[in-house]
Amino acid sequence: MKIAIIGTGNVAKSLGQALSKANNEIVYGSRKPEEAKQKMPGANVQSIEEAARNSELIILAVPYEAAKEAVKEMKKAEEGKILVDVSNPLDKNWRWAKGFNESAAEEIAKHAKGAKVVKAFNTVFAENMKTGMLGQDRIATFLAGDDEQAKSTVMNLAKAIGMDPVDVGSLEKARYIEPAGLLMIELGYGKKMGTAIGLKLLRGQQPQQPSQQQQAH
Ligand SMILES: NC(=O)c1ccc[n+]([C@@H]2O[C@H](COP(=O)([O-])OP(=O)(O)OC[C@H]3O[C@@H](n4cnc5c(N)ncnc54)[C@H](OP(=O)(O)O)[C@@H]3O)[C@@H](O)[C@H]2O)c1
């Protein structure tokens, strides 16, 4: 797949490396492509608009506060495409920047009209995105999105880079996923556990539920 990653920071580089290893073609979108090329020798770096235009799927890997501006810079190139939002909505003091009846992903979707927005990857530390694993364990990544096909495409990408994708539901469910990103930041930095930590969803065997018919008798 031709994938544009907007941003040239920690997440962009790690996801770019992993997705490239999984046979995808990566183009980075930067505010200053010439400067970014110096920092990333060999990488295909273009302007934000060009990168978005020259791709089938776009990953927005910029700070939450810069997301609106980055979407504007795409100049509608995102229309009709999958747009993956990885952001953790933090303010300048690294505090939760949203209420609990809203999410960065829904906000971004309002700006990126016509794009199929999928929330993903925000609970995984950038360093761990390179393999998607910690030891033998696949790190869970939680996804939300209104377009089922788009979500399924991103789930396949997550699986291809080593992670365990978990579908949480419609884009509104990003309201549950985003605070989990803050939880990881608090553990990693606040509690000084470092970034070699990740979430895993345990799936036990469910006790058999009586069918509706059985229940009626
Ligand atoms: N770091 C993590 O472990 C991690 C994990 C999960 C999710 N996230 C989320 O992923 C996103 C990117 O995080 P990151 O750690 O990769 O950040 P970062 O290292 O600071 O990189 C952000 C990139 O965004 C671009 N950018 C565009 N507008 C910007 C602006 N106004 N200010 C600063 N940078 C701007 C920059 O690329 P150009 O200068 O080339 O334009 C920059 O390299 C954030 O929303 C973060 O919450 C981070």
Side-chain angles (χ1 to χ4, degrees):
M1 236 186 158
K2 263 192 139 182
I3 298 177
I5 302 183
I6 310 302
T8 56
N10 298 312
V11 169
K13 284 189 225 150
S14 291
L15 269 185
Q17 190 178 315
L19 288 166
S20 164
K21 239 194 254 172
N23 291 324
N24 297 285
E25 194 182 325
I26 309 298
V27 49
Y28 296 89
S30 171
R31 294 167 297 172
K32 295 175 185 159
E34 291 315 314
E35 273 178 36
K37 274 181 202 167
Q38 309 284 321
K39 288 190 294 180
M40 302 166 77
N44 183 2
V45 190
Q46 301 178 354
S47 72
I48 293 175
E49 185 190 355
E50 279 173 318
R53 261 186 219 294
N54 294 328
S55 65
E56 304 162 65
L57 179 149
I58 304 161
I59 299 175
L60 196 54
V62 303
Y64 161 67
E65 290 185 341
K68 192 170 141 190
E69 193 56 37
V71 167
K72 207 165 139 199
E73 273 306 303
M74 288 183 212
K75 310 218 169 84
K76 302 199 187 305
E78 77 282 6
E79 275 184 1
K81 294 182 183 174
I82 300 171
L83 180 66
V84 183
D85 164 38
V86 307
S87 72
N88 282 311
L90 300 169
D91 66 16
K92 287 194 171 69
N93 299 316
W94 280 49
R95 292 219 179 89
W96 179 240
K98 305 287 307 166
F100 289 99
N101 290 322
E102 56 182 348
S103 65
E106 290 167 277
E107 189 185 340
I108 287 167
K110 279 187 196 140
H111 293 293
K113 288 225 165 59
K116 300 164 200 166
V117 176
V118 176
K119 183 88 204 179
F121 304 125
N122 67 300
T123 56
V124 184
F125 281 114
E127 184 60 27
N128 303 331
M129 291 177 184
K130 290 177 190 165
T131 62
M133 299 185 75
L134 275 172
Q136 297 302 307
D137 291 316
R138 287 177 176 261
I139 301 171
T141 181
F142 301 94
L143 294 94
D146 291 335
D147 187 300
E148 292 301 323
Q149 218 175 343
K151 196 163 46 179
S152 158
T153 302
V154 183
M155 287 178 82
N156 286 336
L157 287 177
K159 212 181 272 177
I161 63 174
M163 296 181 196
D164 172 24
V166 181
D167 181 359
V168 181
S170 64
L171 193 65
E172 194 188 287
K173 302 296 189 295
R175 297 172 189 187
Y176 308 150
I177 303 175
E178 291 178 4
L182 274 286
L183 170 69
M184 295 308 287
I185 292 168
E186 188 55 33
L187 293 177
Y189 297 105
K191 296 299 282 181
K192 301 193 179 12
M193 290 174 84
T195 55
I197 55 172
L199 295 174
K200 180 177 166 121
L201 187 73
L202 299 176
R203 298 169 176 91
Q205 193 127 37
Q206 297 297 331
Q208 270 207 322
Q209 298 289 329
S211 69
Q212 273 186 341
Q213 221 173 11
Q214 280 170 326
Q215 274 177 340
H217 292 290

PDB file of all heavy atoms in Angstrom, residues 129-148:
ATOM      1  N   MET A 129       6.496   0.474  18.427  1.00  0.00           N
ATOM      2  CA  MET A 129       5.793   0.346  17.137  1.00  0.00           C
ATOM      3  C   MET A 129       6.684  -0.321  16.084  1.00  0.00           C
ATOM      4  O   MET A 129       6.210  -0.800  15.077  1.00  0.00           O
ATOM      5  CB  MET A 129       5.360   1.717  16.626  1.00  0.00           C
ATOM      6  CG  MET A 129       4.265   2.360  17.447  1.00  0.00           C
ATOM      7  SD  MET A 129       3.885   3.991  16.813  1.00  0.00           S
ATOM      8  CE  MET A 129       2.672   4.557  18.014  1.00  0.00           C
ATOM      9  N   LYS A 130       7.998  -0.324  16.337  1.00  0.00           N
ATOM     10  CA  LYS A 130       8.931  -0.869  15.333  1.00  0.00           C
ATOM     11  C   LYS A 130       8.684  -2.359  15.102  1.00  0.00           C
ATOM     12  O   LYS A 130       8.803  -2.847  13.997  1.00  0.00           O
ATOM     13  CB  LYS A 130      10.384  -0.655  15.781  1.00  0.00           C
ATOM     14  CG  LYS A 130      10.788   0.797  15.745  1.00  0.00           C
ATOM     15  CD  LYS A 130      12.200   0.980  16.255  1.00  0.00           C
ATOM     16  CE  LYS A 130      12.506   2.448  16.434  1.00  0.00           C
ATOM     17  NZ  LYS A 130      13.701   2.680  17.253  1.00  0.00           N
ATOM     18  N   THR A 131       8.350  -3.071  16.179  1.00  0.00           N
ATOM     19  CA  THR A 131       8.083  -4.515  16.038  1.00  0.00           C
ATOM     20  C   THR A 131       6.652  -4.855  16.433  1.00  0.00           C
ATOM     21  O   THR A 131       6.176  -5.935  16.132  1.00  0.00           O
ATOM     22  CB  THR A 131       9.013  -5.349  16.935  1.00  0.00           C
ATOM     23  OG1 THR A 131       8.739  -4.994  18.296  1.00  0.00           O
ATOM     24  CG2 THR A 131      10.468  -5.095  16.622  1.00  0.00           C
ATOM     25  N   GLY A 132       5.992  -3.960  17.155  1.00  0.00           N
ATOM     26  CA  GLY A 132       4.625  -4.225  17.616  1.00  0.00           C
ATOM     27  C   GLY A 132       4.589  -5.230  18.751  1.00  0.00           C
ATOM     28  O   GLY A 132       3.508  -5.649  19.173  1.00  0.00           O
ATOM     29  N   MET A 133       5.758  -5.613  19.239  1.00  0.00           N
ATOM     30  CA  MET A 133       5.801  -6.668  20.251  1.00  0.00           C
ATOM     31  C   MET A 133       6.682  -6.272  21.426  1.00  0.00           C
ATOM     32  O   MET A 133       7.584  -5.447  21.287  1.00  0.00           O
ATOM     33  CB  MET A 133       6.349  -7.959  19.634  1.00  0.00           C
ATOM     34  CG  MET A 133       5.484  -8.460  18.507  1.00  0.00           C
ATOM     35  SD  MET A 133       6.025 -10.048  17.865  1.00  0.00           S
ATOM     36  CE  MET A 133       5.500 -11.151  19.126  1.00  0.00           C
ATOM     37  N   LEU A 134       6.407  -6.881  22.558  1.00  0.00           N
ATOM     38  CA  LEU A 134       7.305  -6.799  23.717  1.00  0.00           C
ATOM     39  C   LEU A 134       7.628  -8.236  24.088  1.00  0.00           C
ATOM     40  O   LEU A 134       6.724  -8.980  24.478  1.00  0.00           O
ATOM     41  CB  LEU A 134       6.618  -6.095  24.880  1.00  0.00           C
ATOM     42  CG  LEU A 134       6.688  -4.556  24.875  1.00  0.00           C
ATOM     43  CD1 LEU A 134       5.810  -3.965  25.957  1.00  0.00           C
ATOM     44  CD2 LEU A 134       8.117  -4.051  25.029  1.00  0.00           C
ATOM     45  N   GLY A 135       8.852  -8.635  23.888  1.00  0.00           N
ATOM     46  CA  GLY A 135       9.207 -10.046  24.068  1.00  0.00           C
ATOM     47  C   GLY A 135       8.415 -10.881  23.073  1.00  0.00           C
ATOM     48  O   GLY A 135       8.400 -10.589  21.874  1.00  0.00           O
ATOM     49  N   GLN A 136       7.716 -11.885  23.584  1.00  0.00           N
ATOM     50  CA  GLN A 136       6.918 -12.766  22.709  1.00  0.00           C
ATOM     51  C   GLN A 136       5.487 -12.261  22.541  1.00  0.00           C
ATOM     52  O   GLN A 136       4.699 -12.876  21.835  1.00  0.00           O
ATOM     53  CB  GLN A 136       6.867 -14.185  23.318  1.00  0.00           C
ATOM     54  CG  GLN A 136       8.215 -14.866  23.426  1.00  0.00           C
ATOM     55  CD  GLN A 136       8.894 -14.990  22.076  1.00  0.00           C
ATOM     56  OE1 GLN A 136       8.316 -15.497  21.122  1.00  0.00           O
ATOM     57  NE2 GLN A 136      10.134 -14.510  21.986  1.00  0.00           N
ATOM     58  N   ASP A 137       5.138 -11.182  23.236  1.00  0.00           N
ATOM     59  CA  ASP A 137       3.739 -10.734  23.258  1.00  0.00           C
ATOM     60  C   ASP A 137       3.446  -9.662  22.224  1.00  0.00           C
ATOM     61  O   ASP A 137       4.169  -8.667  22.125  1.00  0.00           O
ATOM     62  CB  ASP A 137       3.389 -10.166  24.645  1.00  0.00           C
ATOM     63  CG  ASP A 137       3.351 -11.233  25.706  1.00  0.00           C
ATOM     64  OD1 ASP A 137       2.774 -12.304  25.442  1.00  0.00           O
ATOM     65  OD2 ASP A 137       3.913 -10.997  26.792  1.00  0.00           O
ATOM     66  N   ARG A 138       2.347  -9.879  21.486  1.00  0.00           N
ATOM     67  CA  ARG A 138       1.873  -8.845  20.584  1.00  0.00           C
ATOM     68  C   ARG A 138       1.217  -7.754  21.436  1.00  0.00           C
ATOM     69  O   ARG A 138       0.397  -8.075  22.305  1.00  0.00           O
ATOM     70  CB  ARG A 138       0.812  -9.407  19.625  1.00  0.00           C
ATOM     71  CG  ARG A 138       1.387 -10.306  18.556  1.00  0.00           C
ATOM     72  CD  ARG A 138       0.278 -10.884  17.694  1.00  0.00           C
ATOM     73  NE  ARG A 138       0.851 -11.662  16.616  1.00  0.00           N
ATOM     74  CZ  ARG A 138       1.018 -11.194  15.372  1.00  0.00           C
ATOM     75  NH1 ARG A 138       0.622  -9.987  15.043  1.00  0.00           N
ATOM     76  NH2 ARG A 138       1.563 -11.958  14.448  1.00  0.00           N
ATOM     77  N   ILE A 139       1.562  -6.502  21.179  1.00  0.00           N
ATOM     78  CA  ILE A 139       0.951  -5.400  21.932  1.00  0.00           C
ATOM     79  C   ILE A 139      -0.428  -5.124  21.332  1.00  0.00           C
ATOM     80  O   ILE A 139      -0.575  -5.066  20.104  1.00  0.00           O
ATOM     81  CB  ILE A 139       1.830  -4.133  21.860  1.00  0.00           C
ATOM     82  CG1 ILE A 139       3.220  -4.418  22.435  1.00  0.00           C
ATOM     83  CG2 ILE A 139       1.169  -2.970  22.583  1.00  0.00           C
ATOM     84  CD1 ILE A 139       4.217  -3.297  22.209  1.00  0.00           C
ATOM     85  N   ALA A 140      -1.424  -4.944  22.197  1.00  0.00           N
ATOM     86  CA  ALA A 140      -2.771  -4.641  21.699  1.00  0.00           C
ATOM     87  C   ALA A 140      -2.817  -3.200  21.201  1.00  0.00           C
ATOM     88  O   ALA A 140      -2.196  -2.310  21.788  1.00  0.00           O
ATOM     89  CB  ALA A 140      -3.795  -4.823  22.812  1.00  0.00           C
ATOM     90  N   THR A 141      -3.517  -3.000  20.073  1.00  0.00           N
ATOM     91  CA  THR A 141      -3.831  -1.633  19.670  1.00  0.00           C
ATOM     92  C   THR A 141      -5.336  -1.576  19.465  1.00  0.00           C
ATOM     93  O   THR A 141      -5.932  -2.466  18.865  1.00  0.00           O
ATOM     94  CB  THR A 141      -3.056  -1.166  18.425  1.00  0.00           C
ATOM     95  OG1 THR A 141      -3.437   0.190  18.150  1.00  0.00           O
ATOM     96  CG2 THR A 141      -3.331  -2.004  17.188  1.00  0.00           C
ATOM     97  N   PHE A 142      -5.943  -0.541  20.015  1.00  0.00           N
ATOM     98  CA  PHE A 142      -7.400  -0.431  20.014  1.00  0.00           C
ATOM     99  C   PHE A 142      -7.824   0.518  18.898  1.00  0.00           C
ATOM    100  O   PHE A 142      -7.245   1.586  18.735  1.00  0.00           O
ATOM    101  CB  PHE A 142      -7.867   0.063  21.381  1.00  0.00           C
ATOM    102  CG  PHE A 142      -7.445  -0.870  22.479  1.00  0.00           C
ATOM    103  CD1 PHE A 142      -6.263  -0.646  23.180  1.00  0.00           C
ATOM    104  CD2 PHE A 142      -8.184  -1.994  22.786  1.00  0.00           C
ATOM    105  CE1 PHE A 142      -5.840  -1.526  24.171  1.00  0.00           C
ATOM    106  CE2 PHE A 142      -7.777  -2.884  23.782  1.00  0.00           C
ATOM    107  CZ  PHE A 142      -6.606  -2.644  24.466  1.00  0.00           C
ATOM    108  N   LEU A 143      -8.837   0.083  18.128  1.00  0.00           N
ATOM    109  CA  LEU A 143      -9.247   0.870  16.968  1.00  0.00           C
ATOM    110  C   LEU A 143     -10.711   1.288  17.057  1.00  0.00           C
ATOM    111  O   LEU A 143     -11.558   0.516  17.533  1.00  0.00           O
ATOM    112  CB  LEU A 143      -9.068   0.066  15.675  1.00  0.00           C
ATOM    113  CG  LEU A 143      -7.630  -0.274  15.311  1.00  0.00           C
ATOM    114  CD1 LEU A 143      -7.254  -1.644  15.831  1.00  0.00           C
ATOM    115  CD2 LEU A 143      -7.422  -0.210  13.810  1.00  0.00           C
ATOM    116  N   ALA A 144     -10.992   2.489  16.548  1.00  0.00           N
ATOM    117  CA  ALA A 144     -12.370   2.956  16.445  1.00  0.00           C
ATOM    118  C   ALA A 144     -12.535   3.654  15.109  1.00  0.00           C
ATOM    119  O   ALA A 144     -11.630   4.358  14.648  1.00  0.00           O
ATOM    120  CB  ALA A 144     -12.681   3.934  17.582  1.00  0.00           C
ATOM    121  N   GLY A 145     -13.692   3.445  14.464  1.00  0.00           N
ATOM    122  CA  GLY A 145     -13.939   4.101  13.183  1.00  0.00           C
ATOM    123  C   GLY A 145     -15.330   3.776  12.685  1.00  0.00           C
ATOM    124  O   GLY A 145     -15.868   2.710  13.011  1.00  0.00           O
ATOM    125  N   ASP A 146     -15.899   4.679  11.918  1.00  0.00           N
ATOM    126  CA  ASP A 146     -17.266   4.469  11.419  1.00  0.00           C
ATOM    127  C   ASP A 146     -17.306   3.650  10.136  1.00  0.00           C
ATOM    128  O   ASP A 146     -18.321   3.078   9.796  1.00  0.00           O
ATOM    129  CB  ASP A 146     -17.947   5.831  11.178  1.00  0.00           C
ATOM    130  CG  ASP A 146     -18.224   6.540  12.493  1.00  0.00           C
ATOM    131  OD1 ASP A 146     -18.344   5.841  13.521  1.00  0.00           O
ATOM    132  OD2 ASP A 146     -18.297   7.779  12.494  1.00  0.00           O
ATOM    133  N   ASP A 147     -16.206   3.638   9.381  1.00  0.00           N
ATOM    134  CA  ASP A 147     -16.168   2.901   8.117  1.00  0.00           C
ATOM    135  C   ASP A 147     -15.521   1.527   8.388  1.00  0.00           C
ATOM    136  O   ASP A 147     -14.319   1.449   8.681  1.00  0.00           O
ATOM    137  CB  ASP A 147     -15.361   3.704   7.086  1.00  0.00           C
ATOM    138  CG  ASP A 147     -15.427   3.089   5.700  1.00  0.00           C
ATOM    139  OD1 ASP A 147     -15.001   1.911   5.545  1.00  0.00           O
ATOM    140  OD2 ASP A 147     -15.877   3.771   4.771  1.00  0.00           O
ATOM    141  N   GLU A 148     -16.347   0.491   8.288  1.00  0.00           N
ATOM    142  CA  GLU A 148     -15.875  -0.851   8.680  1.00  0.00           C
ATOM    143  C   GLU A 148     -14.714  -1.317   7.804  1.00  0.00           C
ATOM    144  O   GLU A 148     -13.772  -1.946   8.279  1.00  0.00           O
ATOM    145  CB  GLU A 148     -17.017  -1.879   8.615  1.00  0.00           C
ATOM    146  CG  GLU A 148     -18.103  -1.656   9.661  1.00  0.00           C
ATOM    147  CD  GLU A 148     -17.589  -1.708  11.102  1.00  0.00           C
ATOM    148  OE1 GLU A 148     -16.698  -2.508  11.401  1.00  0.00           O
ATOM    149  OE2 GLU A 148     -18.089  -0.912  11.927  1.00  0.00           O
TER     150      GLU A 148
END
